[in-house]
Amino acid sequence: MVQVWNPNGKYRVVSTKPMPGTRWINLLIEQDCRVEICTRQKTILSVEDIIALIGDKCDGVIGQLTEDWGETLFSALSRAGGKAFSNMAVGYNNVDVNAANKYGVAVGNTPGVLTETTAELAASLSLSAARRIVEADEFMRAGLYDGWLPNLFVGNLLKGQTVGVIGAGRIGSAYARMMVEGFKMNLIYYDLYQATRLEKFVTAYAEFLKANGEQPVTWKRAASMDEVLREADVISLHPILDKTTYHLVNKERLAIMKKEAILVNCSRGPVIDEVALVEHLKQNPMFRVGLDVFEDEPYMKPGLADLKNAVVVPHIASASKWTREGMATLAALNVLGKIKGYPVWSDPNQIEPFLNENVPPPAASPSIVNSKALGLPVSTSRL
Ligand SMILES: NC(=O)c1ccc[n+]([C@@H]2O[C@H](COP(=O)([O-])OP(=O)(O)OC[C@H]3O[C@@H](n4cnc5c(N)ncnc54)[C@H](O)[C@@H]3O)[C@@H](O)[C@H]2O)c1
Ligand SMILES: O=C(O)[C@H](O)CO
């Protein structure tokens, strides 16, 4: 149930799951780590399972977003001499960072490497919902197709419609660009901060279209989230999950959306009140959703699985080979960097140097979310 690499390594690093690729293992071994990988056939490990893996001596752990990293685990890791933990994910709502701070444990995450992959899945769900692809596929497989009909699986055209993005950070902005450039949609977004680069991109693209004699696209930064919900035809959710975004989309907000709108969620399940969503989908058959994440994963709220106006996939937004191998590498290097006393990389949005397989990675932890709280040194090397 535990696979061991480099048994005589000085530092003991535990991974709670096998992760894609071998580069992450090799990078740890090269720096004198003994790597232990839990191969148990149990998808979600409990706190007790992980305490057993940590044991009496453990320098660092690479964990997963399904695990509850709070007071109990950070105190166990600290007792075992551990100073580093990394989620193999960019989101870290499963981690109590205050508890990690209390025990002086660095918390890593894996931004950037999954931005485009996740945005592509959000775009796929938008198209699947707009063009009713899953319904049509099921229809074909059921042998129900007996000839072309003018009204068969009529869906929504995206061109010229408005795409709304809630949370225009790395992934939200990448998704917005795909929808604006790929389908010539107008953009409305809501974020706590101005997405200047995104705005500049849409402005430049509009000028390009105008110069080509085509209808230019437009953009607007909404003053409120409700403005986006009222105006957009396709809305994609990309904020972090915290107290401010829990049930951001609730019964009242669903009611102000267009009856034929499409709602996509590739952020975290609890950003939507899923019970309210199921009811809304039942009452509004032309309203469609594409969901990668669910409020009580791995479960869906009762009724959701029966609804034809919902496309559902099992939290696979970052699931491309390149991205998942890159996530494993970043997570391993976060832990390794802390163990070796390296500084923290100066810009977690510029992690490309860690992903180049042809050269050794920089001597730094790519992304430590509590580096300031722990007073960790920051790398001075620039790209
Ligand atoms: N489904 C998946 O597999 C998958 C993959 C990657 C990331 N994610 C989720 O996507 C999230 C975003 O990732 P990212 O790399 O784009 O992060 P990011 O930090 O670049 O972007 C998040 C954005 O949300 C904004 N935001 C925060 N609170 C908000 C609020 N109350 N209202 C509106 N906007 C708000 C922030 O200002 C920021 O711009 C992650 O935290 C993770 O939970 C899911
Ligand atoms: O936060 C994340 O990274 C995802 O949910 C998994 O890729």
Side-chain angles (χ1 to χ4, degrees), residues 90 118 169-171 191 193 239-240 244-245 266-268 292 315 317:
V90 66
T118 304
R170 287 175 291 249
I171 299 168
D191 198 296
Y193 303 96
I240 56 164
T244 70
T245 60
C266 286
S267 60
R268 285 287 183 267
D292 180 52
H315 205 149

Side-chain angles (χ1 to χ4, degrees), residues 65 89-91 114 268 315 318 327:
L65 59 88
V90 66
L114 40 62
R268 285 287 183 267
H315 205 149
S318 66
M327 289 164 74

Side-chain angles (χ1 to χ4, degrees), residues 189-211:
Y189 78 91
Y190 176 71
D191 198 296
L192 309 178
Y193 303 96
Q194 186 175 8
T196 313
R197 285 173 68 185
L198 175 60
E199 292 176 1
K200 280 191 183 148
F201 170 82
V202 184
T203 302
Y205 186 52
E207 270 155 26
F208 167 81
L209 290 173
K210 214 158 46 181

Side-chain angles (χ1 to χ4, degrees), residues 24 89-90 129-130 163-164 188 341:
W24 70 273
V90 66
V163 62
I188 180 167

Side-chain angles (χ1 to χ4, degrees), residues 90-92 109-116 119 167-176 191 238 240 347-349 367:
V90 66
Y92 53 91
N109 72 340
T110 63
V113 66
L114 40 62
T115 298
E116 300 292 325
R170 287 175 291 249
I171 299 168
S173 290
Y175 167 83
D191 198 296
H238 297 286
I240 56 164
D347 185 355
N349 290 317
S367 178

